[in-house]
Amino acid sequence: MAHIIGIIFWLLVIPFCIGLLPSNFISERKINPGVILLAGYMLMWAAFEVITIPAVIWIQNENFNFVLRWFMIVSILLALTGIFIWYMNHRKKEKRSIRLKFPDIASLKRGLEAKIEWLIFFAIVGFQLYMAVTRVSFDGDDAYYVVHSVMTQQSGTMYKFLPYTGWTTSLDVRHALAVFPMWIAFVAVKANIHATIVSHVIMPLLLIPLSYFIYYEIAKVLFASRRENIPVFMIIMGMFQMFGNVSIYTNETFFLTRTWQGKAVVCSVIIPMMFLLLLWIFDKESGNRKQLPGLWVMLVCLNMATGICSSLAVFVLAMLLVAAALCYMVVERDLKIPLKMGLTCIPNAVYVLIYLLLS
């Protein structure tokens, strides 16, 4: 029971409370518990990057113990701050206070047809979760990434030992800056669960539904005028994920068989989240051309969170944002858009600079 409480606390309660912080500065139309949880993960992963990467570079011995202590303190402080700001806004009954209302899925499309469509979608997701947990797929990366998490959990030291042999080794910059395995080790330590179980059992149960929720939010924007198409869109996305294993390198393969890897998180969570934020920021239908600060803050946190997943993805995400900014600049004839987008990519530039200096 203590293990389950630890998992719920660090993977649901803390991220949700942290997500209340940026959500206080986002339009109420976009806020629901799922969005708050997403915002919390973006901010939490960004904080983990800021704490962990300097520890990897500058602290020689027991650097993971340093991360355990300070990331726990920072996470709890961010969670308490989010709760406090939400409480004050709610107490004062300000217009921008957050009301925690779950989205009424049944209201999207009523009748027997809608119920059947949503049942099909949830059956697809349930089947994927069952197969991901009970039919665990092992590959060569298990011998590296998962073992890194296990060794870190057991030794209190990050990236000092070679997973294949257990011998000490020099800093591997390419992998050492992508600290997602260290976050898995953090969760494993705090919940007192073996890091392998966290990777292969807990992470799919968390990240697969989180990814589908992002697709659901994207569908709400794309089908704003025809919301009856949302369940069909979700079914199509579920089928794409299930039958996309045409190669070991496709996003769908990583989504279901390597969910716990940082590069899988980039493809399944980070990049879809980027498109969702861009749709929100440049949403004319909301009647707010100058979006509230919370969305831009989330975009900055998203760029920072990319760094803990994959070193290459930091560059890829920046290029995607630049391309989106240039396209929208041409459409809107607004030269300020690339500047704003460029400012959100400052963490990417800092990350690349650190990578080049260490290399």
Side-chain angles (χ1 to χ4, degrees):
M1 179 59 73
H3 306 314
I4 297 176
I5 294 175
I7 287 294
I8 293 174
F9 182 76
W10 285 104
L11 295 184
L12 293 178
V13 177
I14 288 294
F16 183 86
C17 294
I18 292 176
L20 290 172
L21 187 55
S23 298
N24 279 283
F25 307 98
I26 299 175
S27 171
E28 290 183 11
R29 292 182 54 189
K30 298 178 174 63
I31 291 300
N32 58 58
V35 172
I36 295 173
L37 186 65
L38 280 172
Y41 268 104
M42 297 305 108
L43 183 53
M44 182 177 67
W45 284 341
F48 189 78
E49 179 188 41
V50 171
I51 294 171
T52 307
I53 290 181
V56 170
I57 298 172
W58 290 313
I59 300 178
Q60 296 298 321
N61 299 317
E62 297 186 352
N63 45 14
F64 184 63
N65 292 332
F66 172 87
V67 173
L68 282 175
R69 180 170 60 255
W70 285 104
F71 181 65
M72 180 184 68
I73 294 173
V74 170
S75 297
I76 293 176
L77 288 177
L78 288 173
L80 292 176
T81 303
I83 293 172
F84 175 76
I85 294 178
W86 172 80
Y87 173 75
M88 294 302 296
N89 286 346
H90 185 73
R91 182 180 179 184
K92 294 178 181 179
K93 296 182 179 180
E94 296 179 355
K95 294 182 179 180
R96 300 200 43 74
S97 63
I98 299 173
R99 299 177 181 177
L100 303 182
K101 292 183 178 180
F102 287 85
D104 184 9
I105 295 179
S107 66
L108 299 180
K109 183 182 178 185
R110 303 188 183 279
L112 181 60
E113 181 182 351
K115 294 178 181 178
I116 293 175
E117 290 169 353
W118 281 112
L119 284 175
I120 293 173
F121 167 69
F122 286 121
I124 292 172
V125 176
F127 178 73
Q128 292 177 2
L129 291 174
Y130 171 78
M131 295 299 290
V133 172
T134 63
R135 302 293 187 273
V136 178
S137 174
F138 293 98
D139 54 69
D141 286 341
D142 283 83
Y144 193 87
Y145 295 106
V146 175
V147 175
H148 257 311
S149 299
V150 174
M151 296 176 70
T152 299
Q153 181 185 14
Q154 295 176 348
S155 68
T157 303
M158 299 182 292
Y159 298 111
K160 297 299 182 183
F161 302 99
L162 189 64
Y164 302 127
T165 63
W167 296 346
T168 57
T169 183
S170 58
L171 187 67
D172 182 358
V173 178
R174 174 172 170 257
H175 296 100
L177 295 187
V179 292
F180 195 79
M182 301 302 103
W183 179 71
I184 290 177
F186 173 86
V187 175
V189 170
K190 290 304 176 182
N192 195 22
I193 299 177
H194 199 281
T196 305
I197 298 175
V198 174
S199 296
H200 285 286
V201 177
I202 306 301
M203 286 299 108
L205 292 176
L206 168 71
L207 296 174
I208 290 176
L210 205 62
S211 178
Y212 277 119
F213 180 78
I214 297 174
Y215 289 130
Y216 168 70
E217 289 294 327
I218 291 174
K220 285 169 61 178
V221 179
L222 297 179
F223 303 107
S225 59
R226 300 194 63 180
R227 296 171 70 86
E228 65 273 9
N229 291 333
I230 293 179
V232 179
F233 172 83
M234 297 303 295
I235 292 173
I236 293 173
M237 293 305 303
M239 297 301 287
F240 276 150
Q241 299 289 9
M242 189 178 299
F243 294 100
N245 185 26
V246 296
S247 164
I248 63 172
Y249 301 109
T250 63
N251 169 48
E252 292 81 4
T253 300
F254 278 77
F255 177 72
L256 294 178
T257 65
R258 304 186 187 187
T259 317
W260 42 268
Q261 291 184 14
K263 44 197 170 184
V265 177
V266 169
C267 296
S268 303
V269 176
I270 298 296
I271 292 179
M273 187 67 185
M274 179 204 71
F275 284 111
L276 175 61
L277 287 176
L278 291 178
L279 288 172
W280 280 349
I281 290 172
F282 301 122
D283 182 14
K284 294 181 180 180
E285 299 300 326
S286 65
N288 185 9
R289 296 291 298 277
K290 297 180 179 180
Q291 282 292 333
L292 298 171
L295 293 177
W296 291 101
V297 171
M298 285 182 62
L299 193 57
V300 173
C301 292
L302 181 71
N303 281 312
M304 297 176 69
T306 307
I308 81 167
C309 299
S310 170
S311 300
L312 178 62
V314 172
F315 178 78
V316 172
L317 198 76
M319 292 300 98
L320 287 174
L321 289 173
V322 169
L326 291 176
C327 292
Y328 199 73
M329 178 194 68
V330 173
V331 172
E332 294 296 315
R333 299 179 182 179
D334 186 355
L335 296 177
K336 296 180 181 179
I337 294 175
L339 177 61
K340 293 178 181 179
M341 203 67 71
L343 292 176
T344 66
C345 294
I346 291 178
N348 305 56
V350 174
Y351 186 98
V352 172
L353 180 61
I354 294 173
Y355 185 95
L356 294 176
L357 291 175
L358 291 178
S359 299

